[in-house]
Amino acid sequence: MADIWLMRHGVYEGHRPGYHAPHEAALTLEGRDQVCRSLPLPEGITAIVTSPIPRARQTATLVSHLTGLPIVATSGLLAEWRAPSIVLGRSAETYPPAYRAWRARRLANPSLRCEDGESLTDLHTRARHCATFLHHTAQRHGPLLAVSHTLFLGVLTRLHEGPAAFAAAAKVPWRFAEHRLLPAPQRAASASSDPPSRTAGQSWRSPRDPS
């Protein structure tokens, strides 16, 4: 089974603890430097896949430019957890009451959504589909580097925990430009799952994802 390496994007404009970045937030110069310092990549990687969100896509493009590796797919399966619009551009001290109420109930009711955001169940289901997508893409292209985001990567590497994986992912964020090997149990589970009914490289929208 081909290795699948996971990488978080570099630091982006406006980042601060607890901040929900707008979709368009771009890499900073420091973020680009972090990506450069993350090289060389682990040995054997032959292709890159990436989230379509700009800070991840810019990270993948820079890695591709510096290493000569091709980007073979851009998939919404790798996008960050979709926070509700009411918290985009906000940090913890300015979260609105509706979001605070959802946070208090999300683990007890993981299917609960806050307005147009993804529920924890939505996110975990997407992560399971993503594991299958990565497995099949690695079968086709060889060992992969998948560029994504801290909360999503945290869930993807803890699929066995179910939707509650979100809580652990939020408490232990990935470092910017950090890469880790996708754990074998996640790869083995994806190999036995039915592949998602989407083509490689096609964006996937979770329920209620705005266009």
Side-chain angles (χ1 to χ4, degrees):
M1 189 179 296
D3 285 342
I4 298 169
W5 287 88
L6 308 174
M7 180 178 184
R8 186 187 182 190
H9 56 78
V11 70
Y12 54 87
E13 295 172 349
H15 169 72
R16 54 190 180 275
Y19 179 69
H20 289 285
H23 177 90
E24 66 274 9
L27 283 186
T28 62
L29 288 176
E30 180 186 359
R32 296 177 66 85
D33 286 344
Q34 289 168 338
V35 174
C36 293
R37 293 195 301 271
S38 75
L39 302 179
L41 295 175
E43 187 174 355
I45 293 173
T46 57
I48 301 168
V49 295
T50 183
S51 157
I53 295 177
R55 54 190 181 273
R57 191 178 67 245
Q58 291 165 0
T59 295
T61 299
L62 181 56
V63 172
S64 177
H65 173 74
L66 294 172
T67 64
L69 295 173
I71 297 175
V72 298
T74 298
S75 174
L77 287 169
L78 284 159
E80 182 58 298
W81 171 65
R82 193 181 70 251
S85 300
I86 58 172
V87 298
L88 295 183
R90 293 175 178 260
S91 49
E93 62 275 9
T94 60
Y95 290 160
Y99 183 67
R100 293 178 185 274
W102 174 81
R103 280 166 58 96
R105 300 171 59 194
R106 62 189 180 188
L107 292 180
N109 185 359
S111 295
L112 182 68
R113 296 182 179 129
C114 179
E115 299 193 0
D116 58 348
E118 278 183 298
S119 71
L120 304 195
T121 298
D122 292 335
L123 180 63
H124 185 261
T125 298
R126 177 159 63 88
R128 288 193 295 105
H129 287 316
C130 185
T132 301
F133 160 72
L134 292 174
H135 170 74
H136 286 282
T137 306
Q139 283 185 321
R140 181 177 180 184
H141 294 283
L144 291 178
L145 177 70
V147 182
S148 187
H149 311 263
T150 184
L151 286 173
F152 183 76
L153 291 172
V155 172
L156 181 60
T157 53
R158 296 179 174 90
L159 289 178
H160 62 284
E161 298 179 18
F166 183 95
K171 290 178 182 177
V172 188
W174 286 43
R175 297 188 304 273
F176 288 114
E178 177 183 2
H179 32 70
R180 304 181 196 172
L181 188 65
L182 181 65
Q186 268 61 257
R187 289 182 283 150
S190 70
S192 62
S193 301
D194 292 332
S197 57
R198 303 166 184 90
T199 57
Q202 182 179 9
S203 293
W204 182 87
R205 290 177 183 169
S206 57
R208 298 178 63 187
D209 195 7
S211 59

